[in-house]
Amino acid sequence: MDDLLQLTHAGKALDGAPEFRGTCCAGGPDRAYGGHVVAQALLAAQRTVDPARFVNSLHAYFLSMGRPGTEVQYQVRILRDGGTYALRQVTAFQGGNALLSLTASFKKVESGPDHQIAMPHVPMPESVPAQGELVDRFWSGITSSVIRQSVEVRPISSNSADENAADHGGGRDRCMWIRITGGVSSDHWMHSAALAFCSDLALARTVALGHLDRQVGGKPHQKLFLTSLDHAVWFHRPCRTDDWLLFVQRSPTSGGGRGLANGEFWTRTGVLVATVAQEVLVREKQALTADARPIPAATMQAR
């Protein structure tokens, strides 16, 4: 994972902003994986702050589609350096085209009241099949061999989850164990970036859970076009991404051409380490015309 997220310092842009460069893997045919761009943008921001600060949140908007294997420039603006918090804004460019706008907040460690909700009762990763229909279904929409080699996923059957797990009308929570397999350095910044990388793998498709026809075996009753519009992560506590994390997702609502997905990351010992949210463009493919067809994914031009 360290090699996958590697950045090089490229001096400063014309406006004096620190600049870093990297390349991103494919998330689909001829299309850069949005989670990779988010992770590298976060790393670029982290390189301009005091190492004693930990990232506490990021908010990103996907502006246009990137090309895998082509250099991406990350320009960092220093918005604030306070006594506890620091704020950075990163814009990712490729060939002069803006791909992503990300704002990240960093803070020093401090003590205070602590509470969290309980982790759902699910089987431990060792008892969840590493191969099978659920695994194949998960990877069916992800063509990148780089992601498959770097991330291991073990989806949990809905029949194995806690019988008291929430049912949200459009479907129960979707749960999976996930971890980085290629090794991650002990640097806490690298683990934060690796978590951001993983957080974009499944959220968009979770929105489709609310559009299932239970009368036909749970298959989508219509073909949907799904693409990420924005992405947010709140980092609650440090974690290691090369150990198993439980990723729980759900979609509380969709309508008006948009859907919302959110979820949580937990350690195997039940520590809540991050909360994520993503807004997704949702349209019926058969309803698209040449004039109304959306620009693909993380591809949306600024509206």
Side-chain angles (χ1 to χ4, degrees), residues 161-268:
D162 183 358
E163 292 183 357
N164 295 318
D167 189 314
H168 304 286
R172 296 163 65 88
D173 289 351
R174 184 164 71 146
C175 305
M176 62 184 67
W177 289 103
I178 188 168
R179 68 175 174 181
I180 300 297
T181 57
V184 187
S185 68
S186 58
D187 186 343
H188 68 83
W189 284 356
M190 190 61 69
H191 283 281
S192 298
L195 190 147
F197 181 94
C198 294
S199 68
D200 190 35
L201 273 176
L203 277 177
R205 285 184 288 167
T206 302
V207 173
L209 294 178
H211 301 271
L212 299 179
D213 187 343
R214 299 176 186 233
Q215 302 303 314
V216 291
K219 302 295 183 183
H221 74 281
Q222 56 190 357
K223 294 182 179 179
L224 298 176
F225 181 93
L226 303 171
T227 184
S228 307
L229 294 173
D230 60 27
H231 190 76
V233 184
W234 293 266
F235 300 84
H236 308 307
R237 299 168 181 88
C239 70
R240 292 197 63 91
T241 51
D242 49 3
D243 195 3
W244 288 109
L245 295 172
L246 178 66
F247 190 12
V248 180
Q249 307 133 61
R250 68 196 64 82
S251 178
T253 185
S254 69
R258 297 172 300 136
L260 180 67
N262 55 40
E264 301 85 31
F265 282 92
W266 311 76
T267 68
R268 61 189 300 144

Side-chain angles (χ1 to χ4, degrees), residues 3 14 46 105 222 234 261 267 290:
D3 291 341
L14 293 178
Q46 288 176 148
S105 176
Q222 56 190 357
W234 293 266
T267 68

Side-chain angles (χ1 to χ4, degrees), residues 6-302:
Q6 184 176 10
L7 292 176
T8 57
H9 188 268
K12 295 185 178 180
L14 293 178
D15 63 357
E19 184 173 297
F20 301 86
R21 297 178 183 175
T23 57
C24 293
C25 65
D30 300 319
R31 180 172 158 184
Y33 170 48
H36 200 171
V37 183
V38 169
Q40 287 192 329
L42 175 59
L43 275 177
Q46 288 176 148
R47 290 197 178 181
T48 69
V49 303
D50 184 339
R53 299 180 193 260
F54 286 68
V55 60
N56 60 280
S57 67
L58 68 80
H59 300 264
Y61 282 90
F62 296 107
L63 304 177
S64 62
M65 181 176 65
R67 299 183 303 278
T70 302
E71 185 179 81
V72 179
Q73 297 83 39
Y74 298 92
Q75 293 183 7
V76 184
R77 289 185 60 206
I78 299 173
L79 300 182
R80 181 175 187 268
D81 277 319
T84 301
Y85 286 88
L87 195 62
R88 299 293 186 266
Q89 183 178 55
V90 184
T91 306
F93 294 92
Q94 189 176 68
N97 186 40
L99 306 183
L100 179 90
S101 177
L102 176 144
T103 304
S105 176
F106 304 84
K107 71 180 299 292
K108 292 182 178 179
V109 176
E110 59 182 311
S111 59
D114 191 296
H115 82 276
Q116 65 166 66
I117 59 175
M119 185 176 79
H121 294 291
V122 297
M124 287 292 102
E126 292 78 10
S127 61
V128 177
Q131 303 292 333
E133 180 184 355
L134 290 179
V135 177
D136 293 341
R137 188 184 306 168
F138 176 86
W139 289 117
S140 63
I142 301 171
T143 60
S144 172
S145 60
V146 174
I147 298 177
R148 287 174 177 245
Q149 293 166 4
S150 303
V151 181
E152 182 178 2
V153 176
R154 296 189 182 184
I156 299 171
S157 168
S158 59
N159 295 328
S160 300
D162 183 358
E163 292 183 357
N164 295 318
D167 189 314
H168 304 286
R172 296 163 65 88
D173 289 351
R174 184 164 71 146
C175 305
M176 62 184 67
W177 289 103
I178 188 168
R179 68 175 174 181
I180 300 297
T181 57
V184 187
S185 68
S186 58
D187 186 343
H188 68 83
W189 284 356
M190 190 61 69
H191 283 281
S192 298
L195 190 147
F197 181 94
C198 294
S199 68
D200 190 35
L201 273 176
L203 277 177
R205 285 184 288 167
T206 302
V207 173
L209 294 178
H211 301 271
L212 299 179
D213 187 343
R214 299 176 186 233
Q215 302 303 314
V216 291
K219 302 295 183 183
H221 74 281
Q222 56 190 357
K223 294 182 179 179
L224 298 176
F225 181 93
L226 303 171
T227 184
S228 307
L229 294 173
D230 60 27
H231 190 76
V233 184
W234 293 266
F235 300 84
H236 308 307
R237 299 168 181 88
C239 70
R240 292 197 63 91
T241 51
D242 49 3
D243 195 3
W244 288 109
L245 295 172
L246 178 66
F247 190 12
V248 180
Q249 307 133 61
R250 68 196 64 82
S251 178
T253 185
S254 69
R258 297 172 300 136
L260 180 67
N262 55 40
E264 301 85 31
F265 282 92
W266 311 76
T267 68
R268 61 189 300 144
T269 58
V271 177
L272 178 63
V273 296
T275 299
V276 299
Q278 186 174 93
E279 189 174 45
V280 179
L281 182 143
V282 183
R283 291 178 181 168
E284 296 181 41
K285 286 184 178 180
Q286 61 266 37
L288 301 179
T289 66
D291 294 330
R293 188 173 295 113
I295 303 168
T299 62
M300 306 304 296
Q301 300 293 338

